[in-house]
Amino acid sequence: AAVVTGDEERRAQALADYPGVAVFDTAEEVWARAAELDLVAVATPNRVHVPLALAALDAGLAVVVDKPLATTADEGRRLVEAAREHAETTARLVRQGRIVASDRMTAELNLASAESLREQAASRQRLALEELRLMMGLPADAALLLPPWKNPAAPAAVTAAAESEQRALATRKDLKANEALLAASRTKITAARSAFHPQVGVVAADSWYDDNAALDNKSQSIMSVVSMNLFNGGRDWHGLTAAQRETEQTELRLEGARQAARNEVRVATSRLNEATARRNIAAQSVDKARENVRLVKQRYGEGRTILIDLLMAERVLVEARNEELTAALSQELGAAQLQLAEGSLTLPGEAPVH
């Protein structure tokens, strides 16, 4: 028996619970001693279930894996296709006497594992659709047809956070609402201050007393009245103070909203750029892994290599494809998050925000 762990506390616990057990730091040490073992139990984070299970099968070991076996339906489908091809090729080579029956059994085990992964991925997909219906307020048995996901094209350049911040400050509706509230608060201050201003009235008159337009028949008068309310000062003063406090609070809320918008833009930009870089790296890895599979498959068909080498090459290709798919999804999500932070995200049927 053997246990794989890099944690010193778990290592000590394993030795105490199972005296004489072999404790390894890495799974590669297990594969090197596969002939001494009968079965592998994989109890790790979900993302490494498939790589470890495939590696164990490559080493000719039976495998028990914690649920879920696969994290995506695509992963399950790819593994099934690869496993079926391996099984057919291995059966042909067994009939030709070029490999032994144990290799055929390994291929069949790989196929069974891949089919199980596919079922696990299909189950996760059904659960995701049920959760989506619940979020949309639809009945549990309502038909829900989703458009096929299209792998978005990678952006040509890295997004600059400064430009996105300026767009967010100019277009976000929540900021515009706070700006309108601030303008209204300042108007209240102006109105409250007007109560302290004196009211001035001016009257001018030019009168004639005779048809003769002589200066002694004319009189002119100018009168002015200045008034100020001295009995309502307390209420007016409190109204002015309240308007000033409201304006100060609105200014603080607006500044806080602007800072939050800047931060949201920076976070979304960072995630988008990270996903873009990951996708570019993964795309290169997929090309290299695909070429490696082609070469190993050619050698395997000629009987110049063993099944484990082909399975390992296929496993590397699956991992590279999964990383590329994950990065592409993260990239699309990052782009949507950035549009949301900028205030330019539109729903179907809405006009784009400029």
Side-chain angles (χ1 to χ4, degrees):
V3 175
V4 180
T5 179
D7 185 82
E8 291 299 329
E9 183 177 348
R10 292 180 179 177
R11 174 188 292 269
Q13 185 64 42
L15 292 173
D17 292 343
Y18 308 100
V21 69
V23 181
F24 300 126
D25 292 324
T26 65
E28 283 70 20
E29 298 176 73
V30 175
W31 315 145
R33 299 178 58 177
E36 305 173 20
L37 304 171
D38 298 319
L39 179 141
V40 171
V42 179
T44 60
N46 295 345
R47 65 180 183 278
V48 293
H49 280 184
V50 173
L52 290 177
L54 284 176
L57 292 172
D58 292 344
L61 294 168
V63 186
V64 176
V65 185
D66 282 350
K67 293 182 179 180
L69 288 177
T71 56
T72 68
D74 284 341
E75 185 179 64
R77 281 192 289 268
R78 292 193 186 104
L79 288 173
V80 168
E81 292 170 1
R84 180 174 291 110
E85 183 177 350
H86 296 331
E88 293 173 354
T89 302
T90 302
R92 173 175 55 83
L93 295 176
V94 168
R95 290 194 301 270
Q96 296 173 356
R98 297 165 65 178
I99 60 174
V100 297
S102 62
D103 284 340
R104 178 179 179 178
M105 293 178 63
T106 300
E108 291 173 349
L109 286 172
N110 182 64
L111 175 59
S113 175
E115 290 174 341
S116 178
L117 292 174
R118 181 180 61 181
E119 290 302 319
Q120 290 285 337
S123 176
R124 291 171 65 90
Q125 184 181 45
R126 287 193 296 270
L127 291 176
L129 290 174
E130 291 177 4
E131 184 175 357
L132 181 58
R133 290 189 186 93
L134 180 62
M135 296 176 63
M136 297 175 64
L138 298 175
D141 57 350
L144 188 60
L145 299 178
L146 299 179
W149 180 73
K150 296 181 179 180
N151 200 338
V158 175
T159 302
E163 298 178 1
S164 296
E165 288 180 21
Q166 293 301 318
R167 284 194 292 269
L169 296 179
T171 60
R172 282 184 58 145
K173 294 181 180 180
D174 57 336
L175 298 182
K176 291 183 180 295
N178 279 298
E179 290 169 358
L181 290 175
L182 179 59
S185 297
R186 289 173 176 169
T187 301
K188 290 181 181 179
I189 291 179
T190 302
R193 284 175 175 168
S194 65
F196 292 89
H197 297 164
Q199 305 296 320
V200 179
V202 178
V203 178
D206 192 2
S207 303
W208 295 88
Y209 299 101
D210 196 281
D211 293 337
N212 184 11
L215 293 178
D216 55 355
N217 295 328
K218 176 184 179 183
S219 67
Q220 295 176 329
S221 62
I222 298 177
M223 296 180 296
S224 64
V225 178
V226 179
S227 63
M228 179 178 291
N229 190 342
L230 300 178
F231 304 99
N232 203 25
R235 188 177 68 178
D236 293 339
W237 176 258
H238 288 304
L240 175 60
T241 302
Q244 291 172 335
R245 295 292 179 270
E246 181 181 350
T247 300
E248 292 173 358
Q249 293 176 1
T250 305
E251 288 174 345
L252 291 175
R253 285 196 298 269
L254 176 59
E255 183 57 32
R258 286 173 173 168
Q259 188 59 38
R262 294 189 186 98
N263 184 65
E264 290 173 8
V265 167
R266 295 191 191 105
V267 171
T269 301
S270 176
R271 291 176 177 173
L272 176 57
N273 292 336
E274 176 189 350
T276 301
R278 285 176 52 201
R279 184 180 178 187
N280 291 334
I281 295 172
Q284 297 174 8
S285 299
V286 167
D287 292 338
K288 295 177 181 178
R290 185 179 290 113
E291 177 63 15
N292 183 54
V293 168
R294 187 187 68 81
L295 295 174
V296 175
K297 187 180 295 184
Q298 180 179 350
R299 293 198 303 271
Y300 181 69
E302 297 170 353
R304 295 190 293 118
T305 189
I306 60 177
L307 179 62
I308 292 178
D309 292 337
L310 181 55
L311 292 178
M312 288 292 293
E314 288 281 5
R315 178 173 64 86
V316 172
L317 177 57
V318 168
E319 291 177 353
R321 285 171 171 171
N322 286 340
E323 172 60 18
E324 184 181 29
L325 176 61
T326 301
L329 289 171
S330 298
Q331 184 183 57
E332 188 171 21
L333 179 60
Q337 289 177 333
L338 181 57
Q339 291 177 357
L340 180 62
E342 291 178 349
S344 60
L345 182 65
T346 57
L347 297 176
E350 290 184 344
V353 179
H354 300 288

